[in-house]
Amino acid sequence: MNTITTRVAASLLAAGAALGLSLATAAPALAHDELADYGLEIDNASGDLTAITMTFSDKVLEVGTEIAVVDEDGKNRTDGAPEIQDTTVRQPLSAPLAAGNYSVNWRAVSSDGHPIEGLLAFSVADDGHPEWIP
């Protein structure tokens, strides 16, 4: 090989090594927290649905976290602010809820400060038994 070819090859090799090193040491992209699970809390004595519970993949910040549980007439059926403990958010409801369909519009602020939101739905049967609507 001549000197110019050797220098070009050495430069390309050095550039490739530098690129490989920078990619190997780059921090991975962080995903936002997400809703991991949710449930319906029922009072054992009365059988009434008393709260919605949501579990997230990481801690939730209190600022900006909101949950609205809306009945078929558009009335919000929550009772007070969401209660946040680490990764769990509990939203008390004004019980008893009448038979019908309800939407759960939620917004939480994840541990990285970004808002996440979603929509869930459940129904309450004539006998008061609630269940999630897929």
Side-chain angles (χ1 to χ4, degrees):
M1 266 197 258
N2 65 31
T3 306
I4 293 176
T5 306
T6 303
R7 286 184 186 163
V8 170
S11 294
L12 289 174
L13 184 60
L19 178 61
L21 183 59
S22 68
L23 291 175
T25 60
L30 298 176
H32 296 304
D33 301 334
E34 58 187 33
L35 180 62
D37 196 15
Y38 51 92
L40 300 169
E41 186 178 296
I42 300 171
D43 181 278
N44 288 334
S46 67
D48 291 336
L49 175 61
T50 58
I52 302 292
T53 58
M54 304 173 110
T55 304
F56 293 86
S57 59
D58 204 343
K59 291 183 180 180
V60 175
L61 304 179
E62 287 189 37
V63 175
T65 296
E66 300 175 358
I67 300 173
V69 178
V70 181
D71 65 18
E72 293 172 336
D73 295 327
K75 183 178 178 186
N76 189 351
R77 302 296 302 200
T78 60
D79 185 18
E83 301 165 357
I84 300 170
Q85 184 174 14
D86 294 325
T87 61
T88 301
V89 179
R90 180 182 180 273
Q91 177 60 63
L93 301 174
S94 54
L97 295 180
N101 294 323
Y102 295 82
S103 63
V104 180
N105 302 297
W106 62 269
R107 179 181 187 270
V109 179
S110 64
S111 62
D112 64 4
H114 288 92
I116 52 177
E117 58 188 28
L119 176 65
L120 301 168
F122 67 91
S123 65
V124 176
D126 289 334
D127 66 0
H129 178 75
E131 67 180 12
W132 291 107
I133 299 171

